[in-house]
Amino acid sequence: MVAGTCTGIVTLMQSAAPLVRLPDPTIDELLAGRPNLSMHAVSGLMLDDVPLRGIADALGTPAWVTGADTLRARYRALADAFREAALDVSVHYAVKANDHLAVLRVLQAEGAGADVVSAGELRRAMAAGIETDRIVFSGVGKSDDELRLAIGLGVQVNIESAEEMARLSALSAGMGRVSPIALRVNPDIDAGTHDKISTGRLGDKFGIDHRDIPSLYEEAGRLPGLRPVGLAVHIGSQVGSAAPFRRAFSRLASLVVALRETGSVVELVDCGGGLGVCYRDEDSLSPRALAGAMRATLGKLGVRLAVEPGRWLVAPAGVLLASVLLVKCQRDAPPFVVLDAAMNDLLRPSLYGAWHGILPLSPSAALCPAAPAHVVGPVCETGDSFACDRLLPALAPGERVAILDTGAYGAVMSSTYNARPPAAQAMTDRGRWGVIRNRQPVEALWRDEIVPDWLG
Ligand code: LLP
């Protein structure tokens, strides 16, 4: 992952090397890397051939826009990569990346199942038409109610601990059911990604220590109410190289062999998500490379394979539209370009120091010479910043911009901090667009709040 700092320096976060100043990609470079975006001489910035200006005019800003054509193209590219590698892989879209029903619907129609981590996500996936036998339930802490829901629906549960396995067994047996489970392995592999989204090292809260898998898998076979079907792994998110995947999958392959040697049945290996995308100019891993790593390590085991991609499918399909409220000049430093979008809308830059491209919507603004600017939101925190010292064309108040690659972990991570209602959402599809979430009236923010009578 790449982080921006307010010293005008952009560094590779994993690199122990001295800070290196990397030039910001130009508008042309940003567009060149994103075939779903184009700058039309009259209509301005387009997503999947739909002018974003028209959407911003109609809905106001901030507004999220998701391109259904991009979603389909990416799903197909992923499926093609597995096909070309002669692998039969069940794709379970990680709903947490973008849980909008319309997004789920598009992916479901392409053939996606779902990876869910809460009853809410499970119900969303079902509401979008995803069959329960194509849903897996992951997550380090599931409530009894959530487990009962999964058991009742026959949904596969990816078990994260011995404690959870015992609880599921008791609940499932009590309901007279036999639940399919996979054990999520913590393979002790460093995914080489941002610390906050690295999940496969011992000491991370996720998965079961790989050394405990043989005994626990055997125990699962003996416990009532459980049918162990295989192993799962997810080493982290925004993984940029094949090596950690290869190491993790090799570890799972060895476990499969060892389990079978002692008589256990292992039908499935769920390889998790984590496939990274290029936000700035960092290395990103192609689905082909992922498929290659899966084939090389797991291809000969005769197991069913599954993956749980989130970000790779949806990140580049989304943009966040925002307007410039004002440009606040400073004496000896770049100006603050204050947008009407904020950290409550898009949290990633504040939370992870994540870098997102920013493009003007208007073709004339795109032609202005670039100068450094700090792009911030109006929320009362210094951390409410989208970009520091970013080379951008001069942006006047009223100018609109698109913050790029926000289709994953964007709207889903929004809050209403500073009493800012959730932004509107639109979807483009084959040249047309429609609203997929109305902008909420501000009163909706306190609709469910209760002022006790005794307060008068
Ligand atoms: N499977 C499991 C069990 C997961 O925990 C995750 C993501 C995925 C699949 C999907 O991973 P992906 O393909 O999207 O990398 N909010 C962070 C990302 C958190 C990822 C959490 N788990 C961000 O904005 O970068």
Side-chain angles (χ1 to χ4, degrees):
M1 190 176 284
V2 177
T5 72
C6 262
T7 57
I9 291 167
V10 176
T11 59
L12 292 173
M13 287 182 78
Q14 276 71 51
S15 162
L19 301 182
V20 188
R21 186 175 178 130
L22 303 171
D24 290 320
T26 62
I27 291 180
D28 287 345
E29 285 165 346
L30 286 172
L31 290 171
R34 292 164 180 77
N36 59 341
L37 293 176
S38 57
M39 187 64 78
H40 188 272
V42 178
S43 306
L45 188 65
M46 322 254 276
L47 171 66
D48 288 346
D49 296 327
V50 177
L52 290 168
R53 232 167 26 178
I55 301 178
D57 287 345
L59 292 187
T61 53
W64 305 93
V65 187
T66 309
D69 299 341
T70 305
L71 292 176
R72 291 190 194 97
R74 293 190 75 85
Y75 188 90
R76 287 172 197 176
L78 187 68
D80 286 349
F82 293 133
R83 228 187 328 272
E84 282 163 22
L87 293 175
D88 185 11
V89 181
S90 183
V91 177
H92 299 148
Y93 165 63
V95 171
K96 64 172 77 67
N98 186 327
D99 65 8
H100 195 289
L101 286 182
V103 169
L104 298 179
R105 187 59 146 201
V106 170
L107 294 174
Q108 179 269 345
E110 291 299 308
D115 165 65
V116 301
V117 291
S118 67
E121 286 192 357
L122 177 49
R123 289 186 185 281
R124 268 186 182 275
M126 290 169 66
I130 300 177
E131 303 286 345
T132 49
D133 62 358
R134 299 292 319 285
I135 299 178
V136 295
F137 195 165
S138 305
V140 76
K142 310 173 186 85
S143 71
D144 284 358
D145 282 348
E146 289 179 319
L147 289 176
R148 278 192 208 101
L149 179 67
I151 295 165
L153 293 166
V155 164
Q156 177 191 313
V157 179
N158 285 357
I159 294 286
E160 297 255 2
S161 60
E163 295 78 1
E164 180 177 71
M165 194 171 91
R167 266 175 62 222
L168 182 69
S169 165
L171 290 168
S172 184
M175 290 168 69
R177 307 293 290 254
V178 177
S179 298
I181 61 161
L183 298 192
R184 174 167 171 183
V185 181
N186 182 321
D188 195 20
I189 302 292
D190 188 341
T193 185
H194 191 287
D195 201 44
K196 287 189 176 151
I197 53 174
S198 204
T199 55
R201 304 161 299 188
L202 291 182
D204 291 335
K205 68 178 175 179
F206 299 97
I208 298 161
D209 187 326
H210 60 98
R211 294 164 298 187
D212 297 333
I213 291 291
S215 58
L216 215 59
Y217 200 92
E218 207 187 312
E219 188 185 338
R222 282 186 270 109
L223 283 176
L226 301 182
R227 183 168 69 87
V229 294
L231 301 176
V233 71
H234 172 72
I235 56 171
S237 196
Q238 184 58 7
V239 181
S241 74
F245 281 123
R246 218 177 256 266
R247 283 201 295 276
F249 301 159
S250 298
R251 181 142 267 169
L252 263 73
S254 310
L255 283 169
V256 171
V257 172
L259 289 170
R260 284 177 171 167
E261 272 168 10
T262 55
S264 294
V265 175
V266 187
E267 308 160 17
L268 165 83
V269 173
D270 175 345
C271 296
L275 196 54
V277 298
C278 176
Y279 286 104
R280 189 177 187 278
D281 50 11
E282 63 271 45
D283 288 338
S284 68
L285 191 63
S286 71
R288 277 196 184 140
L290 176 69
M294 289 168 65
R295 189 184 157 88
T297 51
L298 301 163
K300 295 207 169 73
L301 289 177
V303 284
R304 284 189 287 125
L305 291 171
V307 287
E308 303 166 352
R311 186 191 314 268
W312 195 88
L313 289 173
V314 296
V319 294
L320 173 60
L321 306 183
S323 301
V324 177
L325 294 176
L326 69 139
V327 179
K328 177 176 170 178
C329 294
Q330 304 194 83
R331 278 174 192 252
D332 304 311
F336 290 107
V337 174
V338 186
L339 302 181
D340 62 356
M343 65 188 288
N344 74 294
D345 301 300
L346 177 65
L347 184 60
R348 301 193 73 256
S350 306
L351 190 59
Y352 312 114
W355 196 100
H356 284 265
I358 300 175
L359 289 176
L361 298 197
S362 122
S364 51
L367 294 174
C368 294
H374 301 323
V375 183
V376 300
V379 156
C380 300
E381 299 215 17
T382 302
D384 180 26
S385 166
F386 293 116
C388 289
D389 249 348
R390 181 73 63 86
L391 273 184
L392 286 173
L395 293 167
E399 200 72 64
R400 272 88 50 96
V401 296
I403 307 181
L404 308 185
D405 307 314
T406 52
Y409 307 110
V412 276
M413 289 174 69
S414 300
S415 73
T416 57
Y417 187 40
N418 279 206
R420 294 168 48 86
Q425 294 189 44
M427 178 173 267
T428 62
D429 193 1
R430 301 181 180 103
R432 69 191 155 187
W433 71 271
V435 180
I436 58 168
R437 193 181 208 280
N438 289 317
R439 188 177 302 285
Q440 267 185 20
V442 73
E443 293 80 9
L445 292 176
W446 54 86
R447 197 178 40 207
D448 298 324
E449 292 179 13
I450 296 162
V451 179
D453 290 346
W454 66 81
L455 293 178

